[in-house]
């Protein structure tokens, strides 16, 4: 596992989340003492003192809200300060890190490891999409990364590549 994958696994286990059906942003926010509000603007994280606030766009689908929650949660957990007052290169770095965290928090590797996933064909992606309540494209990208990272895709693509024949 990568550092992010280990962090997500430990984080979820500490708050009693071990199965995809338990991934619920309202419950996660409550466990962490983070306040979630809905509004008409773009989703964002805010800090006031020791309190974290997540503002989610109210017009997003439940799938999009879950994905946005995971992205904004990264800002609450790892970032400090006002993004409008930091250099653009550092803001881009924070956004990239938040996107990586979002991918792993929305569809945790330790949960994928428990499933029998060997490809990312339409039905596999669709099942992961439904199981983790994410958009189809999000599930597809996550599965591509997961299978590539764990070298399963290479074994499928070139099954005889390492044979002595």
């Amino acid at each position: 596992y990568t550092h992010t994958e280990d962090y997500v696994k430990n984080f979820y286990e500490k708050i009693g989340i071990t199965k995809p059906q338990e991934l619920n942003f309202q419950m996660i926010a409550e466990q962490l003492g983070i306040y979630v509000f809905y509004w008409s603007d773009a989703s964002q994280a805010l800090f006031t003192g020791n309190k974290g606030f997540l503002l989610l766009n109210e017009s997003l689908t439940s799938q999009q809200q879950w994905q946005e929650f995971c992205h904004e949660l990264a800002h609450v957990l790892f970032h400090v300060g006002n993004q409008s007052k930091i250099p653009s290169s550092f803001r881009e770095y924070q956004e990239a890190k938040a996107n990586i965290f979002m991918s792993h928090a929305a569809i945790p590797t330790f949960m994928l490891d428990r499933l029998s996933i060997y490809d990312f064909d339409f039905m596999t992606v669709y099942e992961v999409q439904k199981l983790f309540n994410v958009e189809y494209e999000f599930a597809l990208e996550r599965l591509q990364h997961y299978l590539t990272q764990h070298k399963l895709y290479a074994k499928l693509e070139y099954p005889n590549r390492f044979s002595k024949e």
Side-chain angles (χ1 to χ4, degrees), residues 42-62:
S43 299
Q44 61 181 281
L46 299 173
F47 307 91
T48 302
N50 294 343
K51 303 274 186 210
F53 297 88
L54 293 183
L55 306 171
L56 296 177
N57 182 291
E58 63 194 0
S59 64
L60 298 176
T61 66
S62 66

Side-chain angles (χ1 to χ4, degrees), residues 75-110:
H75 292 302
V76 171
L77 294 174
F78 307 119
H79 304 149
V80 295
N82 185 338
Q83 276 196 333
S84 66
K85 296 181 180 181
I86 61 175
S88 63
S89 59
F90 192 64
R91 183 173 40 257
E92 289 169 12
Y93 170 77
Q94 286 185 342
E95 288 301 316
K97 295 298 278 183
N99 285 334
I100 291 168
F101 180 83
M102 170 182 60
S103 177
H104 291 286
I107 305 176
T109 300
F110 78 99

Side-chain angles (χ1 to χ4, degrees), residues 89-133:
S89 59
F90 192 64
R91 183 173 40 257
E92 289 169 12
Y93 170 77
Q94 286 185 342
E95 288 301 316
K97 295 298 278 183
N99 285 334
I100 291 168
F101 180 83
M102 170 182 60
S103 177
H104 291 286
I107 305 176
T109 300
F110 78 99
M111 292 182 190
L112 286 175
D113 284 345
R114 296 177 187 156
L115 305 174
S116 297
I117 297 176
Y118 302 103
D119 60 32
F120 44 88
D121 67 9
F122 175 80
M123 284 309 296
T124 303
V125 175
Y126 177 77
E127 291 298 321
V128 168
Q129 173 194 7
K130 293 301 174 199
L131 184 61
F132 290 95
N133 190 36

